[in-house]
Short mmCIF file of all heavy atoms in Angstrom, two decimals:
data_model
loop_
_atom_site.label_atom_id
_atom_site.label_comp_id
_atom_site.label_asym_id
_atom_site.label_seq_id
_atom_site.Cartn_x
_atom_site.Cartn_y
_atom_site.Cartn_z
N THR A 1 18.25 10.07 6.82
CA THR A 1 19.13 9.01 6.35
C THR A 1 19.23 9.06 4.83
O THR A 1 18.35 9.59 4.16
CB THR A 1 18.61 7.63 6.78
OG1 THR A 1 17.37 7.41 6.13
CG2 THR A 1 18.48 7.53 8.28
N ARG A 2 20.26 8.48 4.30
CA ARG A 2 20.47 8.50 2.86
C ARG A 2 19.55 7.53 2.15
O ARG A 2 18.85 7.90 1.24
CB ARG A 2 21.92 8.15 2.55
CG ARG A 2 22.84 9.34 2.73
CD ARG A 2 24.26 8.94 2.77
NE ARG A 2 24.83 8.70 1.47
CZ ARG A 2 26.01 8.18 1.29
NH1 ARG A 2 26.74 7.85 2.31
NH2 ARG A 2 26.49 8.00 0.09
N GLY A 3 19.56 6.28 2.52
CA GLY A 3 18.73 5.29 1.86
C GLY A 3 19.21 4.99 0.46
O GLY A 3 20.15 5.59 -0.05
N ILE A 4 18.55 4.07 -0.15
CA ILE A 4 18.85 3.69 -1.52
C ILE A 4 17.73 4.25 -2.38
O ILE A 4 16.56 4.02 -2.10
CB ILE A 4 18.95 2.15 -1.65
CG1 ILE A 4 20.07 1.63 -0.75
CG2 ILE A 4 19.17 1.75 -3.10
CD1 ILE A 4 20.10 0.14 -0.61
N SER A 5 18.08 4.99 -3.42
CA SER A 5 17.07 5.67 -4.23
C SER A 5 17.08 5.18 -5.66
O SER A 5 18.06 4.62 -6.14
CB SER A 5 17.32 7.18 -4.22
OG SER A 5 17.28 7.67 -2.91
N ILE A 6 15.98 5.40 -6.32
CA ILE A 6 15.83 5.03 -7.72
C ILE A 6 15.10 6.17 -8.43
O ILE A 6 14.25 6.83 -7.85
CB ILE A 6 15.09 3.69 -7.86
CG1 ILE A 6 15.14 3.18 -9.28
CG2 ILE A 6 13.66 3.80 -7.37
CD1 ILE A 6 14.72 1.73 -9.43
N SER A 7 15.43 6.38 -9.69
CA SER A 7 14.79 7.44 -10.47
C SER A 7 13.60 6.86 -11.23
O SER A 7 13.67 5.75 -11.75
CB SER A 7 15.79 8.02 -11.46
OG SER A 7 15.18 8.98 -12.28
N ASN A 8 12.52 7.64 -11.31
CA ASN A 8 11.39 7.21 -12.12
C ASN A 8 11.45 7.90 -13.49
O ASN A 8 12.40 8.61 -13.80
CB ASN A 8 10.05 7.47 -11.40
CG ASN A 8 9.81 8.94 -11.14
OD1 ASN A 8 10.40 9.81 -11.76
ND2 ASN A 8 8.91 9.22 -10.22
N ASP A 9 10.45 7.71 -14.30
CA ASP A 9 10.45 8.25 -15.67
C ASP A 9 10.51 9.78 -15.73
O ASP A 9 10.96 10.35 -16.70
CB ASP A 9 9.22 7.77 -16.43
CG ASP A 9 9.25 6.28 -16.69
OD1 ASP A 9 10.35 5.70 -16.69
OD2 ASP A 9 8.17 5.69 -16.89
N THR A 10 10.05 10.45 -14.68
CA THR A 10 10.03 11.91 -14.70
C THR A 10 11.31 12.52 -14.16
O THR A 10 11.42 13.73 -14.07
CB THR A 10 8.83 12.43 -13.88
OG1 THR A 10 9.00 12.02 -12.51
CG2 THR A 10 7.51 11.92 -14.42
N GLY A 11 12.27 11.69 -13.80
CA GLY A 11 13.54 12.19 -13.28
C GLY A 11 13.53 12.48 -11.80
O GLY A 11 14.51 12.97 -11.26
N HIS A 12 12.43 12.17 -11.12
CA HIS A 12 12.38 12.34 -9.67
C HIS A 12 12.92 11.10 -8.98
O HIS A 12 12.81 9.99 -9.50
CB HIS A 12 10.94 12.60 -9.22
CG HIS A 12 10.42 13.93 -9.67
ND1 HIS A 12 9.72 14.08 -10.84
CD2 HIS A 12 10.52 15.15 -9.13
CE1 HIS A 12 9.40 15.34 -11.00
NE2 HIS A 12 9.88 16.04 -9.98
N TRP A 13 13.48 11.27 -7.80
CA TRP A 13 14.08 10.17 -7.06
C TRP A 13 13.18 9.80 -5.89
O TRP A 13 12.54 10.63 -5.29
CB TRP A 13 15.45 10.58 -6.53
CG TRP A 13 16.44 10.73 -7.64
CD1 TRP A 13 16.68 11.84 -8.38
CD2 TRP A 13 17.31 9.72 -8.16
NE1 TRP A 13 17.64 11.61 -9.32
CE2 TRP A 13 18.05 10.31 -9.20
CE3 TRP A 13 17.54 8.40 -7.84
CZ2 TRP A 13 19.00 9.61 -9.93
CZ3 TRP A 13 18.49 7.71 -8.57
CH2 TRP A 13 19.21 8.31 -9.60
N ARG A 14 13.15 8.52 -5.58
CA ARG A 14 12.42 8.05 -4.40
C ARG A 14 13.22 6.94 -3.74
O ARG A 14 14.03 6.27 -4.38
CB ARG A 14 11.04 7.54 -4.77
CG ARG A 14 11.05 6.24 -5.58
CD ARG A 14 9.66 5.66 -5.72
NE ARG A 14 9.67 4.41 -6.46
CZ ARG A 14 9.86 3.21 -5.93
NH1 ARG A 14 10.05 3.08 -4.62
NH2 ARG A 14 9.87 2.12 -6.67
N LYS A 15 13.00 6.77 -2.45
CA LYS A 15 13.67 5.69 -1.72
C LYS A 15 12.98 4.36 -2.03
O LYS A 15 11.76 4.31 -2.19
CB LYS A 15 13.61 5.93 -0.21
CG LYS A 15 14.52 7.02 0.26
CD LYS A 15 14.48 7.08 1.77
CE LYS A 15 15.40 8.17 2.27
NZ LYS A 15 15.40 8.24 3.72
N LEU A 16 13.77 3.32 -2.12
CA LEU A 16 13.20 1.99 -2.29
C LEU A 16 12.61 1.54 -0.95
O LEU A 16 13.18 1.80 0.11
CB LEU A 16 14.26 0.99 -2.74
CG LEU A 16 14.87 1.25 -4.11
CD1 LEU A 16 15.99 0.26 -4.39
CD2 LEU A 16 13.82 1.18 -5.19
N ILE A 17 11.49 0.85 -1.00
CA ILE A 17 10.88 0.35 0.22
C ILE A 17 11.52 -0.99 0.58
O ILE A 17 12.11 -1.65 -0.28
CB ILE A 17 9.34 0.23 0.09
CG1 ILE A 17 8.95 -0.73 -1.02
CG2 ILE A 17 8.72 1.61 -0.13
CD1 ILE A 17 7.46 -1.02 -1.10
N PRO A 18 11.44 -1.39 1.85
CA PRO A 18 12.12 -2.62 2.28
C PRO A 18 11.80 -3.85 1.45
O PRO A 18 12.69 -4.63 1.14
CB PRO A 18 11.66 -2.78 3.73
CG PRO A 18 11.45 -1.39 4.20
CD PRO A 18 10.86 -0.68 3.01
N VAL A 19 10.55 -4.02 1.04
CA VAL A 19 10.22 -5.22 0.26
C VAL A 19 10.93 -5.19 -1.11
O VAL A 19 11.35 -6.24 -1.62
CB VAL A 19 8.69 -5.41 0.10
CG1 VAL A 19 8.09 -4.40 -0.83
CG2 VAL A 19 8.37 -6.82 -0.33
N GLU A 20 11.13 -4.02 -1.69
CA GLU A 20 11.88 -3.91 -2.94
C GLU A 20 13.34 -4.29 -2.72
O GLU A 20 13.94 -4.98 -3.55
CB GLU A 20 11.79 -2.50 -3.51
CG GLU A 20 10.40 -2.12 -3.98
CD GLU A 20 10.28 -0.66 -4.36
OE1 GLU A 20 10.79 0.21 -3.62
OE2 GLU A 20 9.66 -0.38 -5.41
N LEU A 21 13.90 -3.85 -1.60
CA LEU A 21 15.29 -4.20 -1.29
C LEU A 21 15.43 -5.69 -1.05
O LEU A 21 16.42 -6.31 -1.48
CB LEU A 21 15.75 -3.42 -0.05
CG LEU A 21 15.79 -1.90 -0.20
CD1 LEU A 21 16.05 -1.24 1.14
CD2 LEU A 21 16.81 -1.48 -1.22
N GLU A 22 14.45 -6.30 -0.38
CA GLU A 22 14.49 -7.75 -0.15
C GLU A 22 14.45 -8.50 -1.48
O GLU A 22 15.19 -9.48 -1.67
CB GLU A 22 13.32 -8.17 0.74
CG GLU A 22 13.48 -7.72 2.16
CD GLU A 22 12.24 -7.91 3.02
OE1 GLU A 22 11.11 -8.00 2.46
OE2 GLU A 22 12.39 -7.95 4.23
N ARG A 23 13.61 -8.05 -2.37
CA ARG A 23 13.51 -8.72 -3.68
C ARG A 23 14.80 -8.57 -4.49
O ARG A 23 15.21 -9.52 -5.17
CB ARG A 23 12.33 -8.16 -4.46
CG ARG A 23 11.00 -8.59 -3.85
CD ARG A 23 9.82 -7.97 -4.52
NE ARG A 23 8.59 -8.39 -3.85
CZ ARG A 23 7.40 -7.89 -4.13
NH1 ARG A 23 7.26 -6.97 -5.06
NH2 ARG A 23 6.34 -8.32 -3.47
N LEU A 24 15.45 -7.41 -4.39
CA LEU A 24 16.73 -7.24 -5.08
C LEU A 24 17.79 -8.17 -4.52
O LEU A 24 18.68 -8.61 -5.25
CB LEU A 24 17.20 -5.78 -4.96
CG LEU A 24 16.45 -4.77 -5.83
CD1 LEU A 24 16.83 -3.35 -5.42
CD2 LEU A 24 16.75 -5.01 -7.30
N GLN A 25 17.70 -8.46 -3.24
CA GLN A 25 18.68 -9.35 -2.60
C GLN A 25 18.25 -10.81 -2.68
O GLN A 25 18.90 -11.68 -2.13
CB GLN A 25 18.90 -8.96 -1.14
CG GLN A 25 19.71 -7.71 -0.98
CD GLN A 25 21.17 -7.90 -1.35
OE1 GLN A 25 21.50 -8.55 -2.32
NE2 GLN A 25 22.05 -7.33 -0.57
N THR A 26 17.16 -11.09 -3.34
CA THR A 26 16.61 -12.44 -3.53
C THR A 26 16.34 -13.15 -2.21
O THR A 26 16.56 -14.34 -2.08
CB THR A 26 17.50 -13.32 -4.45
OG1 THR A 26 18.76 -13.57 -3.84
CG2 THR A 26 17.70 -12.67 -5.82
N VAL A 27 15.84 -12.41 -1.23
CA VAL A 27 15.37 -13.02 0.02
C VAL A 27 13.84 -12.92 0.03
O VAL A 27 13.26 -12.07 -0.66
CB VAL A 27 15.98 -12.38 1.29
CG1 VAL A 27 17.48 -12.57 1.32
CG2 VAL A 27 15.65 -10.91 1.40
N PRO A 28 13.16 -13.76 0.80
CA PRO A 28 11.68 -13.73 0.81
C PRO A 28 11.14 -12.39 1.30
O PRO A 28 11.75 -11.73 2.14
CB PRO A 28 11.30 -14.84 1.79
CG PRO A 28 12.51 -15.70 1.93
CD PRO A 28 13.69 -14.83 1.65
N ASP A 29 9.97 -12.00 0.78
CA ASP A 29 9.30 -10.78 1.25
C ASP A 29 9.08 -10.89 2.76
O ASP A 29 8.66 -11.93 3.26
CB ASP A 29 7.94 -10.61 0.56
CG ASP A 29 8.07 -10.26 -0.90
OD1 ASP A 29 9.19 -10.14 -1.40
OD2 ASP A 29 7.01 -10.11 -1.56
N GLY A 30 9.38 -9.81 3.48
CA GLY A 30 9.20 -9.79 4.92
C GLY A 30 10.33 -10.43 5.72
O GLY A 30 10.25 -10.54 6.93
N TYR A 31 11.38 -10.84 5.05
CA TYR A 31 12.50 -11.52 5.71
C TYR A 31 13.10 -10.68 6.84
O TYR A 31 13.53 -11.22 7.84
CB TYR A 31 13.57 -11.85 4.66
CG TYR A 31 14.71 -12.70 5.14
CD1 TYR A 31 14.53 -14.06 5.35
CD2 TYR A 31 15.96 -12.16 5.37
CE1 TYR A 31 15.57 -14.86 5.79
CE2 TYR A 31 17.01 -12.94 5.80
CZ TYR A 31 16.81 -14.29 6.01
OH TYR A 31 17.85 -15.06 6.44
N THR A 32 13.11 -9.36 6.69
CA THR A 32 13.71 -8.47 7.69
C THR A 32 12.66 -7.67 8.45
O THR A 32 12.97 -6.64 9.04
CB THR A 32 14.69 -7.50 7.01
OG1 THR A 32 13.99 -6.75 6.01
CG2 THR A 32 15.86 -8.24 6.37
N LYS A 33 11.41 -8.14 8.48
CA LYS A 33 10.30 -7.36 9.03
C LYS A 33 10.39 -7.07 10.52
O LYS A 33 9.71 -6.18 11.01
CB LYS A 33 8.97 -8.04 8.72
CG LYS A 33 8.73 -9.32 9.48
CD LYS A 33 7.38 -9.91 9.12
CE LYS A 33 7.01 -11.14 9.85
NZ LYS A 33 7.89 -12.23 9.95
N ASP A 34 11.22 -7.77 11.25
CA ASP A 34 11.29 -7.60 12.71
C ASP A 34 12.22 -6.47 13.16
O ASP A 34 12.42 -6.29 14.36
CB ASP A 34 11.70 -8.92 13.37
CG ASP A 34 10.64 -10.00 13.20
OD1 ASP A 34 9.44 -9.64 13.13
OD2 ASP A 34 11.00 -11.18 13.10
N ILE A 35 12.80 -5.74 12.22
CA ILE A 35 13.65 -4.60 12.57
C ILE A 35 13.12 -3.34 11.88
O ILE A 35 12.29 -3.43 10.98
CB ILE A 35 15.14 -4.86 12.23
CG1 ILE A 35 15.31 -5.22 10.74
CG2 ILE A 35 15.71 -5.96 13.10
CD1 ILE A 35 16.75 -5.43 10.31
N SER A 36 13.61 -2.19 12.29
CA SER A 36 13.12 -0.92 11.73
C SER A 36 13.46 -0.82 10.25
O SER A 36 14.40 -1.46 9.77
CB SER A 36 13.73 0.26 12.48
OG SER A 36 15.10 0.39 12.16
N ASP A 37 12.71 -0.01 9.52
CA ASP A 37 12.96 0.17 8.09
C ASP A 37 14.37 0.69 7.82
O ASP A 37 15.00 0.32 6.83
CB ASP A 37 11.93 1.12 7.48
CG ASP A 37 10.57 0.45 7.29
OD1 ASP A 37 10.45 -0.77 7.57
OD2 ASP A 37 9.63 1.16 6.88
N ASN A 38 14.87 1.55 8.71
CA ASN A 38 16.22 2.07 8.58
C ASN A 38 17.24 0.93 8.66
O ASN A 38 18.17 0.84 7.85
CB ASN A 38 16.48 3.09 9.68
CG ASN A 38 17.17 4.32 9.19
OD1 ASN A 38 17.30 4.52 8.00
ND2 ASN A 38 17.61 5.14 10.12
N GLN A 39 17.08 0.07 9.66
CA GLN A 39 18.00 -1.05 9.82
C GLN A 39 17.83 -2.06 8.69
O GLN A 39 18.80 -2.67 8.25
CB GLN A 39 17.77 -1.73 11.18
CG GLN A 39 18.26 -0.92 12.35
CD GLN A 39 19.76 -0.67 12.29
OE1 GLN A 39 20.54 -1.58 12.05
NE2 GLN A 39 20.16 0.57 12.49
N ARG A 40 16.61 -2.23 8.21
CA ARG A 40 16.37 -3.14 7.09
C ARG A 40 17.17 -2.69 5.88
O ARG A 40 17.82 -3.51 5.21
CB ARG A 40 14.88 -3.18 6.73
CG ARG A 40 14.02 -3.83 7.77
CD ARG A 40 12.55 -3.68 7.47
NE ARG A 40 12.11 -4.72 6.55
CZ ARG A 40 10.85 -4.87 6.17
NH1 ARG A 40 9.92 -4.06 6.62
NH2 ARG A 40 10.53 -5.83 5.34
N ALA A 41 17.15 -1.39 5.59
CA ALA A 41 17.89 -0.87 4.44
C ALA A 41 19.39 -1.10 4.61
O ALA A 41 20.08 -1.48 3.66
CB ALA A 41 17.59 0.61 4.25
N LYS A 42 19.89 -0.89 5.83
CA LYS A 42 21.32 -1.11 6.09
C LYS A 42 21.69 -2.57 5.92
O LYS A 42 22.68 -2.91 5.25
CB LYS A 42 21.68 -0.64 7.50
CG LYS A 42 21.72 0.84 7.65
CD LYS A 42 22.11 1.22 9.06
CE LYS A 42 22.02 2.71 9.28
NZ LYS A 42 22.36 3.07 10.66
N VAL A 43 20.90 -3.46 6.52
CA VAL A 43 21.19 -4.89 6.45
C VAL A 43 21.15 -5.37 5.01
O VAL A 43 22.05 -6.08 4.55
CB VAL A 43 20.17 -5.68 7.31
CG1 VAL A 43 20.21 -7.16 7.02
CG2 VAL A 43 20.42 -5.43 8.79
N LEU A 44 20.11 -4.99 4.29
CA LEU A 44 19.96 -5.45 2.91
C LEU A 44 20.99 -4.81 1.99
O LEU A 44 21.46 -5.43 1.04
CB LEU A 44 18.54 -5.19 2.43
CG LEU A 44 17.49 -6.03 3.15
CD1 LEU A 44 16.10 -5.45 2.96
CD2 LEU A 44 17.55 -7.48 2.71
N GLY A 45 21.36 -3.57 2.27
CA GLY A 45 22.36 -2.88 1.46
C GLY A 45 23.76 -3.42 1.66
O GLY A 45 24.60 -3.36 0.77
N ASN A 46 24.02 -3.97 2.84
CA ASN A 46 25.35 -4.50 3.14
C ASN A 46 25.47 -5.98 2.82
O ASN A 46 26.53 -6.58 3.00
CB ASN A 46 25.70 -4.28 4.62
CG ASN A 46 25.99 -2.83 4.91
OD1 ASN A 46 26.44 -2.09 4.05
ND2 ASN A 46 25.71 -2.41 6.12
N GLY A 47 24.39 -6.59 2.37
CA GLY A 47 24.39 -8.02 2.11
C GLY A 47 24.98 -8.37 0.75
O GLY A 47 25.14 -7.53 -0.12
N TRP A 48 25.28 -9.64 0.61
CA TRP A 48 25.73 -10.18 -0.67
C TRP A 48 24.55 -10.88 -1.31
O TRP A 48 23.85 -11.64 -0.66
CB TRP A 48 26.84 -11.21 -0.45
CG TRP A 48 28.11 -10.65 0.06
CD1 TRP A 48 28.29 -9.86 1.15
CD2 TRP A 48 29.39 -10.83 -0.51
NE1 TRP A 48 29.60 -9.55 1.30
CE2 TRP A 48 30.31 -10.14 0.30
CE3 TRP A 48 29.86 -11.52 -1.61
CZ2 TRP A 48 31.66 -10.11 0.01
CZ3 TRP A 48 31.21 -11.50 -1.87
CH2 TRP A 48 32.10 -10.79 -1.07
N THR A 49 24.33 -10.67 -2.58
CA THR A 49 23.25 -11.34 -3.29
C THR A 49 23.72 -12.73 -3.65
O THR A 49 24.61 -12.91 -4.49
CB THR A 49 22.85 -10.54 -4.54
OG1 THR A 49 22.54 -9.21 -4.14
CG2 THR A 49 21.65 -11.14 -5.23
N VAL A 50 23.12 -13.72 -3.02
CA VAL A 50 23.58 -15.11 -3.13
C VAL A 50 23.59 -15.58 -4.58
O VAL A 50 24.56 -16.21 -5.03
CB VAL A 50 22.70 -16.04 -2.27
CG1 VAL A 50 23.07 -17.49 -2.46
CG2 VAL A 50 22.83 -15.64 -0.79
N ASP A 51 22.56 -15.28 -5.33
CA ASP A 51 22.49 -15.74 -6.72
C ASP A 51 23.63 -15.17 -7.56
O ASP A 51 24.19 -15.86 -8.42
CB ASP A 51 21.15 -15.37 -7.35
CG ASP A 51 19.98 -16.10 -6.70
OD1 ASP A 51 20.21 -17.08 -5.96
OD2 ASP A 51 18.84 -15.66 -6.91
N VAL A 52 24.00 -13.93 -7.34
CA VAL A 52 25.09 -13.30 -8.09
C VAL A 52 26.43 -13.93 -7.70
O VAL A 52 27.25 -14.25 -8.57
CB VAL A 52 25.11 -11.77 -7.86
CG1 VAL A 52 26.34 -11.14 -8.48
CG2 VAL A 52 23.84 -11.14 -8.41
N ILE A 53 26.66 -14.11 -6.41
CA ILE A 53 27.91 -14.72 -5.95
C ILE A 53 28.04 -16.14 -6.49
O ILE A 53 29.11 -16.56 -6.94
CB ILE A 53 28.01 -14.69 -4.41
CG1 ILE A 53 27.94 -13.24 -3.90
CG2 ILE A 53 29.25 -15.40 -3.91
CD1 ILE A 53 28.98 -12.32 -4.50
N ALA A 54 26.95 -16.90 -6.47
CA ALA A 54 26.97 -18.27 -7.00
C ALA A 54 27.32 -18.26 -8.48
O ALA A 54 28.10 -19.11 -8.95
CB ALA A 54 25.63 -18.95 -6.76
N HIS A 55 26.80 -17.31 -9.22
CA HIS A 55 27.09 -17.20 -10.64
C HIS A 55 28.58 -16.89 -10.87
O HIS A 55 29.23 -17.48 -11.73
CB HIS A 55 26.21 -16.13 -11.28
CG HIS A 55 26.50 -15.91 -12.73
ND1 HIS A 55 26.08 -16.78 -13.70
CD2 HIS A 55 27.18 -14.92 -13.36
CE1 HIS A 55 26.49 -16.33 -14.88
NE2 HIS A 55 27.16 -15.21 -14.70
N ILE A 56 29.12 -15.97 -10.08
CA ILE A 56 30.53 -15.59 -10.21
C ILE A 56 31.43 -16.79 -9.91
O ILE A 56 32.33 -17.13 -10.68
CB ILE A 56 30.88 -14.41 -9.29
CG1 ILE A 56 30.18 -13.14 -9.79
CG2 ILE A 56 32.39 -14.21 -9.19
CD1 ILE A 56 30.21 -11.98 -8.83
N PHE A 57 31.17 -17.46 -8.79
CA PHE A 57 32.00 -18.61 -8.42
C PHE A 57 31.80 -19.78 -9.38
O PHE A 57 32.71 -20.58 -9.59
CB PHE A 57 31.72 -19.05 -6.99
CG PHE A 57 32.37 -18.15 -5.97
CD1 PHE A 57 31.63 -17.63 -4.92
CD2 PHE A 57 33.71 -17.80 -6.04
CE1 PHE A 57 32.21 -16.80 -3.97
CE2 PHE A 57 34.30 -16.98 -5.11
CZ PHE A 57 33.55 -16.48 -4.08
N GLY A 58 30.63 -19.89 -9.97
CA GLY A 58 30.37 -20.95 -10.93
C GLY A 58 31.24 -20.84 -12.17
O GLY A 58 31.52 -21.83 -12.84
N GLY A 59 31.68 -19.64 -12.49
CA GLY A 59 32.53 -19.42 -13.66
C GLY A 59 34.01 -19.59 -13.39
O GLY A 59 34.81 -19.56 -14.32
N LEU A 60 34.39 -19.74 -12.13
CA LEU A 60 35.81 -19.90 -11.80
C LEU A 60 36.25 -21.33 -12.07
O LEU A 60 35.52 -22.29 -11.87
CB LEU A 60 36.05 -19.58 -10.32
CG LEU A 60 35.81 -18.14 -9.91
CD1 LEU A 60 36.02 -17.99 -8.40
CD2 LEU A 60 36.72 -17.20 -10.65
N LYS A 61 37.46 -21.45 -12.56
CA LYS A 61 38.02 -22.77 -12.81
C LYS A 61 39.03 -23.09 -11.71
O LYS A 61 39.79 -22.22 -11.29
CB LYS A 61 38.71 -22.79 -14.17
CG LYS A 61 37.74 -22.56 -15.31
CD LYS A 61 38.45 -22.57 -16.63
CE LYS A 61 37.43 -22.28 -17.74
NZ LYS A 61 38.05 -22.15 -19.04
N PRO A 62 39.07 -24.34 -11.26
CA PRO A 62 40.04 -24.70 -10.21
C PRO A 62 41.47 -24.62 -10.75
O PRO A 62 41.72 -24.86 -11.92
CB PRO A 62 39.65 -26.13 -9.83
CG PRO A 62 38.80 -26.64 -10.95
CD PRO A 62 38.23 -25.44 -11.64
N LEU A 63 42.37 -24.26 -9.85
CA LEU A 63 43.79 -24.21 -10.21
C LEU A 63 44.32 -25.65 -10.33
O LEU A 63 44.01 -26.50 -9.51
CB LEU A 63 44.59 -23.46 -9.15
CG LEU A 63 44.25 -21.99 -8.97
CD1 LEU A 63 45.02 -21.42 -7.78
CD2 LEU A 63 44.61 -21.21 -10.23
N SER A 64 45.09 -25.89 -11.35
CA SER A 64 45.68 -27.23 -11.47
C SER A 64 46.94 -27.28 -10.61
O SER A 64 47.69 -26.33 -10.51
CB SER A 64 46.00 -27.54 -12.92
OG SER A 64 46.87 -26.57 -13.45
N THR A 65 47.16 -28.41 -9.97
CA THR A 65 48.33 -28.55 -9.09
C THR A 65 49.36 -29.45 -9.68
O THR A 65 49.17 -30.17 -10.60
CB THR A 65 47.92 -29.12 -7.72
OG1 THR A 65 47.22 -30.34 -7.91
CG2 THR A 65 47.05 -28.13 -6.99
#
């Protein structure tokens, strides 16, 4: 599988572990623990980060009618 990778200081790449993906998505550690690591990466990779979306929508101004 492809997975989500990150580079370290030596230029080598490694896959992020599920708990790192959960933290990036601002969900509690172990939130997706009941499914396989492969599915966890897919679910977390396809998710929307709630804090980021809230920030984006917080900056929108309502249309005047």
Side-chain angles (χ1 to χ4, degrees):
T1 65
R2 280 165 80 189
I4 299 170
S5 301
I6 190 167
S7 176
N8 62 19
D9 293 337
T10 62
H12 292 93
W13 291 87
R14 69 171 182 87
K15 286 186 180 181
L16 296 176
I17 61 173
V19 72
E20 292 172 316
L21 297 171
E22 289 170 338
R23 290 175 182 172
L24 286 169
Q25 286 290 41
T26 66
V27 297
D29 290 0
Y31 187 75
T32 58
K33 70 180 183 310
D34 295 329
I35 56 177
S36 72
D37 285 356
N38 224 10
Q39 288 298 313
R40 291 172 84 176
K42 287 181 186 178
V43 166
L44 293 162
N46 288 331
W48 292 53
T49 306
V50 175
D51 294 345
V52 172
I53 301 304
H55 177 76
I56 291 168
F57 283 129
L60 294 177
K61 296 179 182 175
L63 296 173
S64 57
T65 55

